[in-house]
């Protein structure tokens, strides 16, 4: 399921407002942006926004597909007219990835119990691609409650390997205090930043 996201753009006040005495202050800014789909040279989204003199940040509309690249540039205006455009800056749109597909959960260990998780990378990684190398980590929550709200939740963040199918072993070395014979509920959340 593809998601959408936003890209924030921020900029600073120019060091020279167009004169050397600051008699003519900045009256506003023009911000121009454009978006391209992953792997495309064609512009699929674009816009120009006029902003007030005290506005130094802006966010693109929340319609951008994950994996898009956004380019933006800005220029200041005073009573004499428009200044020069800045160079374009680019940023890729990342959104929250879909949940991993837990393939199996195993356990073992005498005297130190552990959980062994195996999962596959979801179709949507949040970068418009299913490439596993976009994902950086997975936070695994382990609880004795299926609702994960009663204070029995332990959380561990593990690095992902860049493979489409991955495994991890979690136990005391990773900060989990597990008790043999106890039923545990497990869920995971992937991160791409």
């Amino acid at each position: 399921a593809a998601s959408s996201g936003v890209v924030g753009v921020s900029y600073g006040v120019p060091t020279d407002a167009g004169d050397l005495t600051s008699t003519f202050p900045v009256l506003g800014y023009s911000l121009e942006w454009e978006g391209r789909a992953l792997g495309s040279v064609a512009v699929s989204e674009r816009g120009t926004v006029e902003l007030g003199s005290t506005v130094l940040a802006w966010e693109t509309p929340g319609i951008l597909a994950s994996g898009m690249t956004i380019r933006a540039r800005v220029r200041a205006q005073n009573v004499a007219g428009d200044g020069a455009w800045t160079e374009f800056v680019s940023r890729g749109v990342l959104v929250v990835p879909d949940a991993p597909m837990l393939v199996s959960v195993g356990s073992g260990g005498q005297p130190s119990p552990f959980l062994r998780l195996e999962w596959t990378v979801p179709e949507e990684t949040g970068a418009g691609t299913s490439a596993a190398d976009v994902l950086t980590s997975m936070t695994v929550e382990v609880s004795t409650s299926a609702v994960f709200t009663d204070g029995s939740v332990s959380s561990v963040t593990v690095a992902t390997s860049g493979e489409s199918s991955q495994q991890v072993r979690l136990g005391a070395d990773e900060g989990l205090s597990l008790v043999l014979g106890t039923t545990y509920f497990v869920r995971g959340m992937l991160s791409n930043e």
Side-chain angles (χ1 to χ4, degrees), residues 123-137:
E123 185 175 318
E124 176 59 71
T125 62
T129 176
S130 61
D133 57 358
V134 171
L135 302 169
T136 56
S137 64

Side-chain angles (χ1 to χ4, degrees), residues 103-144:
V103 175
S104 69
V105 178
S107 64
Q110 284 277 14
S112 182
F114 63 88
L115 295 174
R116 185 180 55 260
L117 306 178
E118 182 180 356
W119 72 92
T120 58
V121 172
E123 185 175 318
E124 176 59 71
T125 62
T129 176
S130 61
D133 57 358
V134 171
L135 302 169
T136 56
S137 64
M138 183 165 86
T139 300
V140 178
E141 290 184 341
V142 179
S143 176
T144 55

